[in-house]
Amino acid sequence: MQVAEILEQAAQEQGFLTAWAGLDLPQETQQRYRDWVAEGRQAQMAYLAQNLEIRLNPPQRFAWARSVLVLAAPHAYPPPPKPTGGLRLGRVARYAWVRDYHLLIAPHLQALERLAQSLGLEAKGYVDTGPLSERSYAALGGLGWIGRNAMLMRMGEGTYLTLAVLLTSLPPTRLEAPYPNRCGTCTRCVVGCPTGALLGDGTMDSRLCISYWTIEHRGLIPAELWAGMGDWLFGCDVCQEVCPWNRKARSFWQDFIPEPELAYPNLEDYFYLSSKAFERKYAGTVFLRPGRTRMARNALVVLANLGNPDYLPLVRHAAQDVNPVVRATAAQALARLGDLEALWPLRQDPEPQVAEVALGLLEGRV
């Protein structure tokens, strides 16, 4: 058995879909990414624009690397039962219903690194953390195609795929035929995107993406985006939910076990737990990336969009939060829920940003 086959078989035995690709990305792919960055479509995710030439030409950093083994872990698992008790409102992107995929996949990737090294190769694995374009390599290796929703897609698993890569010093030994693009004339994802983030050419504008605003963005969420966010608490799956290829997707990696408390988190945790207590409760989950304060911010947007005055006690409590981003977002939520009396004290908040938002709302400027 060839070395490439040994590594590929080992990965498949661990439950991954696999594909081999060379490290040289097509010039068209490279230019497309450069243009995307030049247009600022990465929003404030500065790491996507850093080390641009290394990202597009990995051998500049990894001189020994010759090929990449792409791993895909399907996550089309069914929803777990909804827990009782608590305030369980808002939707969470499907990939976040399980423990942090970085932590789940890393041990398997490390085992593949050791196997590759035992076969006389140099190897380095990344789970969505290195300066690499995983989707581009997956498409280059014939694992799937990049759809109009900017995600890797394949028949059977649809877009519900979590990617990882293993760089190796093994020269590419075979070229796979490209996976045929099966989007056809369908534009359901583009039309369905609540904020118009999808450009229709397989790219998206992060400055309009709900996933960016609820997970990556650190400050206030612009008021003009609130309506489009609907009840999305963490991430967004609309472009996947409307995709015809996802209707029958049922496969999922064996280490992905959906948890009720992650699929339907209790919003009260974001307002009554300290940041440390939040970190303890949600250790090992992707909720730690935004943290308590940004999850509280997101929850306030959801509560305001739902428009139910029964949620006002929680919003009033949030108006006294230790974090100014939470207080400023609570001011917006109070105004939208019609409680100007509770908004009034915030005009004298010691944090200028909060006071400015409250005054603007009271004077009708926001």
Side-chain angles (χ1 to χ4, degrees):
M1 185 180 293
Q2 299 293 324
V3 172
E5 293 175 337
I6 294 173
L7 286 172
E8 191 168 17
Q9 180 176 311
Q12 292 171 355
E13 288 174 352
Q14 294 175 36
F16 297 108
L17 301 169
T18 62
W20 280 100
L23 279 187
D24 294 331
L25 292 173
Q27 288 300 316
E28 180 184 356
T29 300
Q30 296 188 38
Q31 191 58 50
R32 189 185 185 90
Y33 190 83
R34 289 191 181 94
D35 293 343
W36 185 78
V37 168
E39 292 162 359
R41 299 192 187 277
Q42 76 278 19
Q44 294 181 16
M45 295 180 287
Y47 61 89
L48 292 176
Q50 292 172 349
N51 302 316
L52 190 60
E53 292 309 312
I54 292 177
R55 180 179 290 273
L56 298 176
N57 298 282
Q60 290 190 17
R61 177 175 177 181
F62 308 99
W64 50 265
R66 295 291 181 272
S67 63
V68 55
L69 177 61
V70 183
L71 313 178
H75 60 261
Y77 31 67
K82 192 172 185 176
T84 57
L87 187 62
R88 302 185 186 277
L89 302 169
R91 288 186 285 174
V92 172
R94 180 183 294 264
Y95 84 92
W97 298 354
V98 301
R99 298 276 120 180
D100 188 339
Y101 64 90
H102 300 90
L103 302 178
L104 294 174
I105 295 177
H108 298 272
L109 200 55
Q110 291 163 3
L112 289 172
E113 283 183 15
R114 292 191 295 269
L115 175 59
Q117 291 160 3
S118 73
L119 296 170
L121 301 175
E122 291 191 66
K124 175 66 176 175
Y126 286 104
V127 188
D128 189 29
T129 54
L132 299 162
S133 180
E134 295 92 347
R135 279 174 294 183
S136 296
Y137 285 118
L140 187 63
L143 189 62
W145 77 92
I146 296 177
R148 285 197 174 90
N149 61 3
M151 295 185 179
L152 183 76
M153 306 176 65
R154 55 183 279 124
M155 293 180 287
E157 293 77 21
T159 60
Y160 295 126
L161 296 164
T162 302
L163 301 178
V165 293
L166 180 72
L167 291 176
T168 82
S169 57
L170 184 70
T173 57
R174 65 176 187 267
L175 295 176
E176 296 292 341
Y179 201 107
N181 188 315
R182 300 295 190 187
C183 285
T185 60
C186 179
T187 58
R188 294 184 190 184
C189 58
V190 178
V191 174
C193 179
T195 53
L198 296 176
L199 305 180
D201 61 352
T203 63
M204 51 88 71
D205 191 336
S206 302
R207 296 170 297 188
L208 296 174
C209 181
I210 295 172
S211 289
Y212 164 74
W213 288 106
T214 56
I215 300 172
E216 300 292 336
H217 187 70
R218 297 181 179 277
L220 294 175
I221 296 175
E224 61 270 20
L225 292 178
W226 281 33
M229 293 174 63
D231 64 346
W232 284 104
L233 177 66
F234 180 96
C236 177
D237 279 342
V238 171
C239 66
Q240 300 189 87
E241 292 174 347
V242 300
C243 177
W245 289 113
N246 283 331
R247 289 177 183 170
K248 295 183 179 180
R250 296 290 185 272
S251 63
F252 57 95
W253 187 49
Q254 67 267 13
D255 284 16
F256 285 155
I257 303 174
E259 299 182 22
E261 289 291 337
L262 301 181
Y264 310 100
N266 180 6
L267 269 59
E268 294 171 341
D269 288 349
Y270 313 145
F271 303 103
Y272 292 108
L273 292 180
S274 67
S275 291
K276 289 295 183 183
F278 175 89
E279 290 173 4
R280 287 193 296 269
K281 178 169 182 177
Y282 292 100
T285 77
V286 293
F287 290 163
L288 293 188
R289 185 165 183 84
R292 182 200 72 85
T293 56
R294 282 187 273 167
M295 290 300 290
R297 174 202 63 188
N298 300 345
L300 287 165
V301 175
V302 169
L303 294 175
N305 285 341
L306 292 175
N308 189 335
D310 290 345
Y311 307 138
L312 274 170
L314 189 58
V315 179
R316 294 183 191 121
H317 178 81
Q320 303 175 47
D321 196 271
V322 296
N323 186 277
V325 169
V326 177
R327 297 199 303 277
T329 306
Q332 293 267 15
L334 287 169
R336 293 184 182 227
L337 291 172
D339 191 351
L340 298 184
E341 182 179 350
L343 174 61
W344 187 255
L346 289 174
R347 77 195 194 286
Q348 295 181 330
D349 193 278
E351 177 61 44
Q353 180 187 43
V354 179
E356 182 179 345
V357 169
L359 280 170
L361 290 165
L362 289 167
E363 295 173 2
R365 292 187 283 108
V366 178

